[in-house]
Amino acid sequence: MMKAALVTEFGASPRYQDVEEPTAARPGQAVVDVLAAALSPRVRSQAAGSHYTSTGELPLIPGIDGVGRTPDGALRYFLLPDTAKGAMAERTVVDLQRSVVVPPDSDPVQLAAVMNPAMSSWIALRRRARLHAGQSVLVLGATGNAGGLAVQVARRLGGAHVVAAGRDSGRLADSGADVVVELDDAEALGRAASEVDVVLDYLWGRPTADALRAVVPRRARDDQPLTWVQIGSVAGPESPIPSAALRAVDLRIVGSGQGSVRTDTIVAELSDLAVEVASGALVTAARAVPLSRVEQAWDEAATTRDRLVLVP
Ligand SMILES: NC(=O)c1ccc[n+]([C@@H]2O[C@H](COP(=O)([O-])OP(=O)(O)OC[C@H]3O[C@@H](n4cnc5c(N)ncnc54)[C@H](OP(=O)(O)O)[C@@H]3O)[C@@H](O)[C@H]2O)c1
């Protein structure tokens, strides 16, 4: 037996308890000793049964990714498939092809904290918007973990001018963007985004519709392509997009996530991103919490700004 976080009812916090040891069922799989598994909004929605990829299977060990050690001693960052046997356990089974070896001196907690939120903008810019060096990027919702990392990722991928928009002016000031704008200042948002090439949108809901109303009429050139990438929906799952926005300028709205990006495409990007994270080029505020305290961590994750990382 081993210890794990276990969800037996959607909506209830996982409990720390004994479960059966996992076993590798196929060639290409390995049991890893888990060193770190992040408690992200994505994992919270998995454990609540509300994520769009949820299979409804219970009981469920949550955790979609993590850092672990394989029997050969290598340190690996791994992505799990949609499985009820997730990363929040002393051990889990990984597909070696969905994992990458990371430098042996990497910090497992920082790596686990950063990889998923950083991947959201990395994939969006490399695979959905196809950002060219010298282009400019607006991050809509830049004050969370993923949005803050998006500012850093946009720079690392050659973004020449990065605009950060959000509702918390204090955190915006620390974002490292060239220009920061508060969401409710439509005039400033429109001016700052008049020549951006890509929008990375973590908000959706009303703020996205309002941002389109602010940005579209103030575009410097109607025919300059604007790729608006839908990534997160912290402000609401639906947005009343003004139809005229799509006619008035060369606007393309696309999404970026599991499904719209193939799994093998995501896996192909893991190595490059892991190198960036391990080097310390991309950082977020991370805090390790013992797996035995998973119930308290679940409550705390709803309010803290730190990315909590469970450590068995
Ligand atoms: N598609 C993908 O590949 C992918 C991958 C990772 C994450 N995501 C998604 O990205 C989103 C953000 O994830 P995260 O890890 O960054 O979460 P997070 O660290 O909890 O940050 C969310 C931030 O959103 C801000 N916020 C909440 N409501 C807002 C509103 N109405 N207007 C403006 N800002 C608001 C809050 O900042 P303030 O309190 O400072 O305003 C909060 O810090 C989630 O929807 C997540 O599911 C998608």
Side-chain angles (χ1 to χ4, degrees), residues 41 116 120 143-146 167-168 202-203 231 233 235 256 305 307:
N116 172 267
S120 70
T143 55
N145 283 282
R167 63 179 182 181
D168 182 331
Y202 289 91
L203 300 177
I231 303 176
S233 49
S256 185
R305 291 191 167 280
R307 179 52 41 91

Side-chain angles (χ1 to χ4, degrees), residues 39-43 45 51-52 64 113 115-121 123-124 140-149 165-169 171-172 183 201-204 207 230-236 255-258 260-261 266 284 301-302 304-307:
L39 176 37
S40 61
R42 166 72 178 80
V43 172
S45 58
H51 193 260
Y52 67 88
I64 59 162
M115 283 296 285
N116 172 267
M119 182 67 75
S120 70
S121 50
I123 293 278
L140 206 56
T143 55
N145 283 282
L149 281 160
R167 63 179 182 181
D168 182 331
S169 53
R171 282 171 67 84
L172 282 175
L183 282 170
D201 184 350
Y202 289 91
L203 300 177
W204 212 241
Q230 201 310 299
I231 303 176
S233 49
V234 293
S256 185
Q258 247 178 297
S260 58
V261 184
I266 296 174
T284 200
T304 182
R305 291 191 167 280
D306 294 343
R307 179 52 41 91

